[in-house]
Amino acid sequence: MHKLREAAERMVWAVKEVKHMRGNTSHYTSEDHGVVTDAYNTLRTEIARIVVEYHKMSLVDPDARSSLWLEEERARVKRDKRATSNLVEDLMRDGGMSAHAGTSFTNDASYAYRAMKDMLEAARIFFAEVEGPLTEVERMLTLDEDELDDDQVDRQAVNSGAAS
């Protein structure tokens, strides 16, 4: 039961992250804004790809499931996040994207990549093989850089809120 609750919690977090993106995504994709529209459409496609794969995984017999897809997707999301950040910086520097659109997209890309990460974690919890206690502890101790950065930002926000 705990496992189901944790997976559901991760999916709720993902939905909330996507909700944060809705306004700008609608604005920049309801009519063509050039590279900004393309960038938002790429984010939407990446999220949709994970949702489709999640659904496919739910249809596979539990004994035939492989967690390899999860690891590959997690690595892909991390690469895509880095590439997106570099692309936006280059576009803003070269004048291909306004500072306002670049800032909006950068914030929304952060929401999108956190949503993807949460969806993948929900899939890992729900579909992956049962881990032994040692394997789970090792996984928890090997936080990737993004998770450490997210934790640091959260702590800074809490500390600055407490100082107010």
Side-chain angles (χ1 to χ4, degrees), residues 37-77:
T37 300
D38 294 342
Y40 273 98
N41 284 336
T42 298
L43 281 180
R44 295 186 325 168
T45 302
E46 290 175 22
I47 291 170
R49 186 189 70 248
I50 291 174
V51 171
V52 167
E53 291 300 324
Y54 192 100
H55 176 69
K56 286 181 187 177
M57 193 175 239
S58 74
L59 300 175
V60 174
D61 182 333
D63 294 332
R65 284 186 192 134
S66 168
S67 61
L68 182 58
W69 168 77
L70 292 169
E71 294 307 316
E72 289 171 353
E73 266 315 303
R74 187 177 156 137
R76 181 177 181 170
V77 166

Side-chain angles (χ1 to χ4, degrees), residues 24 28 33 35-37 39-40 43 84-85 87-93 95-110:
N24 286 333
Y28 286 112
H33 291 271
V35 295
V36 181
T37 300
Y40 273 98
L43 281 180
T84 298
S85 178
L87 174 67
V88 171
E89 286 176 18
D90 291 345
L91 286 169
M92 288 174 60
R93 189 177 15 258
M97 185 181 285
S98 71
H100 177 73
T103 301
S104 295
F105 180 78
T106 299
N107 290 333
D108 291 333
S110 292

Side-chain angles (χ1 to χ4, degrees), residues 3 7 20 27-29 41 46 48 62 65 70 76 95 100-101 125 131 146 151:
K3 187 172 137 179
H20 289 300
H27 172 74
Y28 286 112
T29 59
N41 284 336
E46 290 175 22
R65 284 186 192 134
L70 292 169
R76 181 177 181 170
H100 177 73
I125 292 166
E131 297 178 335
D146 294 336
D151 290 345

